[in-house]
Amino acid sequence: MLSQNLTCKEKPMHDIVLTTFNARYAHTALGLRYLLANLKEWQPKARLLEFVINTNVAEAAEAILACNPKIVGISAYIWNANEVRELVEIIKKIAPQIWVVLGGPEASHLPHRVDFGKADVIIQGEGEVAFYNLVTQLLTTSEPPQHRISASPVDMKTLILPYAFYTDHDIAHRTCYVEASRGCPFSCEFCLSSLDKKVREIPLPLFLDALETLWKRGVRNFKFIDRTFNLSIATATRLLDFFLAKEGEYFVHFEVIPERFPEALKERIARFAPASLQLEIGIQTLNPDIAKGIHRKLNIPKIAQNLAFLQEHTHAHLHVDLIVGLPGEDLGNFGRNLDMLQSLTQCEIQIGMLKKLSGTTLSRHDEEQGMVYADTPPYEVLQTQDVPFAAMQRMKRFARFWDLVYNSGNFKKTAPKLWRNGKVYAGFGAFSGWIYSQTESTWQISLDRLSWLIFTYLITQMHEDESFVKGLIIEDIMAVPGRKLPKFLRENTPESNVFKTQPSPANKRQRKHTAQAQ
């Protein structure tokens, strides 16, 4: 359980407990805070308890039951579906009189591939109004509720914003998620956001007031969850102006579409200081035929132009995405995508495996393209007509090693030596296969060991000069203050280069990329 959440033994009893399992301690559950903010007269009777997915589920149930609740509302996501199922089953066995209500993306869409059958009520869709109405019914009448409630999209003009329910502890130690809009106008078949095609904005003056209040409370790490931040340029520029007017260090994350960067946006992005702005840019594929097959719009010349601008004329930290296993795409096509993307930008390139989420229309490709997926979260693709199972397994290892070596920023100068002549996919693929043969694992590889493995590969397989490679790795390792050189690199290295003082910035990965780019 999170340390700032006292158990109900130390708090008054609550009729309503709102809970979930976050993926990490640093994450906060924005959805639960929305529910709490919109409970109106029931709000004083409600309690928020957050856990993380490595929490013992029985201990989480113990903390919840200590509140003696009448209603337990649980948010289910792809990363916590199994924990939620177990939690529901324990609560209903120990205290069957409690009404257990599920919501969230994993509960909202059919088919349920994790058994949520023990839950009393499942709210499908946006739950702020539906949950309030359900609570009112359960606490004031004897009328039995529907098992499945279909919730309509809420009116963003009347929605009560949740940000007052970020505690001082949240602000000091965790990420504060915010949203200026909901919905996405695009129809990408792998994405649940495509189901809500109308983009609905929170009234901008109201949202800016909320941001100002958060700023005055000390929030300096803002992560926007809007799916298409730069859809409305007027809104985007106002929000960027809000942060540009602030002094001191802060970190802001936006998810953007790659084709839409007019001059008004470019001019503002170029003014952000290093390590203050991160842009997550969904590419997924650079093959027009594959993109068309999954209803994704793709303007490659515009993407190339905008990535070049962001790479060359801004300090924004870029994070772009590619997907392995899209219907109709073989690994040759994926490799060309990676080669092209890495030539356009030297930012983080997140390589993800395709997931088939309930509610999306990906299943229409299953028979024709031989799509086979795991039945357990996160429902990743196992094989396709074009990528057999063994090759897909190799790509999962490729993606993991790519994240450790390339995306981590730990080997900014050394990593490009793992391929030649722009053949990123082929070169790194060979390295990925070799390193797995040495480790038989993709996890729990220390930085020292990884440095040794890269050094060994470049010397023995790529036939690079030993002193040259040592110099590159030393430069990479010591680019981050506070690090100690691996033992094999300490020979003939001045003592002053072995230890440096440790700074205290927030976003470590972005700082690595920024420091090494300067």
Side-chain angles (χ1 to χ4, degrees), residues 382-433:
L382 296 175
Q383 68 177 21
T384 73
Q385 177 178 280
D386 300 288
V387 186
F389 176 69
M392 199 70 77
Q393 288 294 104
R394 289 196 295 272
M395 287 308 300
K396 288 183 180 181
R397 294 190 286 271
F398 182 110
R400 172 60 180 162
F401 289 127
W402 178 265
D403 200 49
L404 287 175
V405 175
Y406 188 82
N407 286 340
S408 67
N410 288 326
F411 302 98
K412 195 73 174 176
K413 295 181 182 297
T414 309
K417 298 302 177 183
L418 295 170
W419 58 82
R420 290 176 178 152
N421 302 319
K423 302 296 183 181
V424 182
Y425 172 71
F428 197 88
F431 169 72
S432 175

Side-chain angles (χ1 to χ4, degrees), residues 45 56 67 123 132 144 199 235 255 275 303 337 354 404 415 477 499 508-509:
K45 296 179 178 292
N56 181 282
C67 295
I123 296 178
Y132 166 76
V199 176
T235 299
E255 186 170 340
I303 290 173
N337 291 338
L354 179 66
L404 287 175
I477 296 295
F499 296 93
K508 292 181 180 178
R509 179 172 286 196

Side-chain angles (χ1 to χ4, degrees), residues 45 101 120 144 174 191 200 285 297 301 308 318 332 360 381 418 430 468:
K45 296 179 178 292
V101 183
D120 296 293
R174 306 171 73 200
C191 182
R200 295 164 293 134
T285 180
K297 294 182 178 180
L318 308 182
T360 66
V381 64
L418 295 170
F468 172 70

Side-chain angles (χ1 to χ4, degrees), residues 31-104:
L32 294 185
R33 286 165 174 79
Y34 263 115
L35 295 181
L36 186 56
N38 288 274
L39 272 178
K40 300 179 183 178
E41 71 270 21
W42 304 116
Q43 194 180 99
K45 296 179 178 292
R47 174 87 168 96
L48 176 65
L49 288 177
E50 294 177 275
F51 306 94
V52 290
I53 54 175
N54 60 358
T55 303
N56 181 282
V57 177
E59 292 179 358
E62 179 186 10
I64 292 166
L65 293 172
C67 295
N68 195 26
K70 297 176 181 177
I71 302 168
V72 176
I74 309 173
S75 288
Y77 297 89
I78 193 171
W79 62 80
N80 70 12
N82 286 318
E83 288 82 1
V84 167
R85 174 196 56 75
E86 185 179 350
L87 178 64
V88 172
E89 292 176 355
I90 292 174
I91 290 174
K92 294 305 292 185
K93 283 183 176 181
I94 301 302
Q97 76 281 3
I98 293 176
W99 292 100
V100 175
V101 183
L102 294 191

